């Protein structure tokens, strides 16, 4: 494949904080279509054509969107992305054997405690995160609408790379060179899920996700909250309490 993947398989027992535990009946109903995908025109590859840093290029893409929603998009370089990949996993660009991808739950903790680096040397932390059952696509959509993005762990291969290059939606089976890949889901319209991968927007069919979707993570970002998004119906206080209690 011309591009890289780089998401490790989910760890058994790692999903301690589940979205459904904090999303009560008061959660507002999401619109039929949503997304601020037009806010960012240049997503950038951010090293994911050379290295398995998809969880970190994806984190940068999420920060692009959150900061753009708040009115001032941050700049994040490939060097920033690779620095966080290295700090969390031990990756060394001079040692191909160290390019082993990322555990999504470990990445979420890094993003909460340390934060991802931007081009001005500032770190952008999330305040909380929660896993979503990948079999519950309605919850995935609701979380993406509510929080601006949901990080998806999907299995892709040569077929998806070909569809990407041809401008077609991801659909069908992965084909050759299948591996775990991290992509932020940021919009839903036209009956398609819209994610960011390999430097641009990519459409994904429901059928593809039903068969190749293995993990989902939603995040609470201070930058996103500055955009005025309402968390009505989501028990953020309980999630923060649980995370703090667990870490203690």
């Amino acid at each position: 494949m011309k591009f890289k993947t780089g998401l490790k398989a989910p760890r058994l027992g790692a999903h301690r904080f589940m979205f459904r535990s904090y999303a009560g009946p008061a959660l507002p109903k999401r619109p039929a279509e949503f997304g601020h995908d037009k806010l960012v025109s240049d997503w950038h590859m951010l090293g994911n054509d050379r290295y398995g840093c998809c969880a970190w290029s994806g984190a940068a893409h999420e920060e692009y969107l959150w900061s753009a929603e708040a009115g001032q998009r941050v700049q994040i370089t490939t060097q920033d992305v690779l620095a966080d990949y290295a700090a969390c996993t031990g990756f060394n660009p001079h040692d191909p054997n160290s390019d082993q991808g990322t555990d999504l739950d470990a990445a979420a903790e890094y993003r909460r405690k340390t934060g991802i680096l931007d081009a001005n040397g500032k770190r952008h932390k999330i305040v909380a995160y929660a896993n979503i059952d990948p079999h519950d696509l309605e919850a995935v959509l609701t979380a993406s609408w509510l929080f601006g993005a949901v990080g998806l762990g999907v299995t892709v291969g040569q077929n998806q790379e070909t569809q990407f290059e041809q401008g077609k939606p991801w659909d069908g089976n992965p084909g050759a060179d299948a591996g775990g890949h991290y992509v932020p889901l940021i919009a839903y319209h036209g009956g398609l899920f819209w994610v960011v991968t390999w430097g641009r927007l990519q459409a994904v069919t429901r059928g593809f996700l039903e068969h190749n979707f293995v993990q989902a993570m939603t995040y609470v970002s201070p930058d996103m909250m500055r955009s005025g998004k309402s968390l009505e119906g989501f028990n953020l206080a309980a999630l923060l309490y649980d995370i703090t209690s667990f870490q203690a």
Side-chain angles (χ1 to χ4, degrees):
M1 291 178 65
K2 297 177 184 176
F3 306 121
K4 300 292 185 180
T5 53
L7 190 68
K8 291 183 176 180
R11 283 181 290 123
L12 185 65
H15 307 342
R16 299 181 180 92
F17 316 112
M18 299 299 295
F19 177 79
R20 65 172 176 266
S21 301
Y22 309 99
L27 201 67
K29 184 179 179 180
R30 68 169 175 84
E33 297 189 344
F34 65 88
H36 291 167
D37 40 309
K38 298 293 192 292
L39 281 178
V40 179
S41 59
D42 50 344
W43 292 98
H44 304 135
M45 181 67 75
L46 300 176
N48 202 203
D49 53 341
R50 293 175 289 154
Y51 305 109
C53 58
C54 55
W56 304 98
S57 55
H61 291 146
E62 289 158 357
E63 187 58 46
Y64 279 2
L65 182 66
W66 292 329
S67 58
E69 287 178 333
Q72 188 172 6
R73 205 196 92 177
V74 302
Q75 299 298 317
I76 300 175
T77 68
T78 298
Q79 289 73 23
D80 300 326
V81 166
L82 296 182
D84 286 321
Y85 182 28
C88 184
T89 70
F91 162 72
N92 181 342
H94 303 296
D95 178 8
N97 292 326
S98 70
D99 188 12
Q100 297 294 319
T102 304
D103 175 280
L104 185 53
D105 288 272
E109 267 299 282
Y110 179 92
R111 292 174 65 178
R112 186 180 73 86
K113 292 180 177 179
T114 303
I116 62 170
L117 189 64
D118 72 16
N120 293 316
K122 179 181 177 181
R123 291 201 171 271
H124 299 263
K125 295 181 180 182
I126 57 172
V127 296
Y129 62 90
N131 292 93
I132 310 173
D133 183 352
H135 297 100
D136 189 350
L137 288 180
E138 291 309 308
V140 169
L141 286 170
T142 295
S144 181
W145 164 65
L146 189 64
F147 296 109
V150 166
L152 308 184
V154 294
T155 302
V156 300
Q158 186 63 61
N159 289 344
Q160 282 65 58
E161 184 174 76
T162 299
Q163 291 163 351
F164 173 83
E165 292 185 314
Q166 294 176 346
K168 297 179 179 179
W170 280 352
D171 198 13
N173 62 68
D177 298 323
H181 191 40
Y182 181 90
V183 294
L185 169 66
I186 65 168
Y188 179 78
H189 50 75
L192 294 167
F193 297 73
W194 291 88
V195 304
V196 184
T197 184
W198 299 325
R200 71 171 192 243
L201 287 170
Q202 171 65 34
V204 182
T205 68
R206 182 177 289 268
F208 176 82
L209 289 179
E210 287 174 345
H211 293 93
N212 301 288
F213 185 14
V214 296
Q215 195 171 6
M217 184 83 75
T218 192
Y219 312 96
V220 182
S221 159
D223 291 334
M224 175 272 293
M225 288 190 287
R226 277 195 286 272
S227 70
K229 279 183 175 289
S230 171
L231 300 184
E232 180 181 355
F234 185 83
N235 196 338
L236 178 58
L239 176 57
L240 289 171
Y241 176 82
D242 288 349
I243 290 177
T244 302
S245 300
F246 176 80
Q247 292 302 321

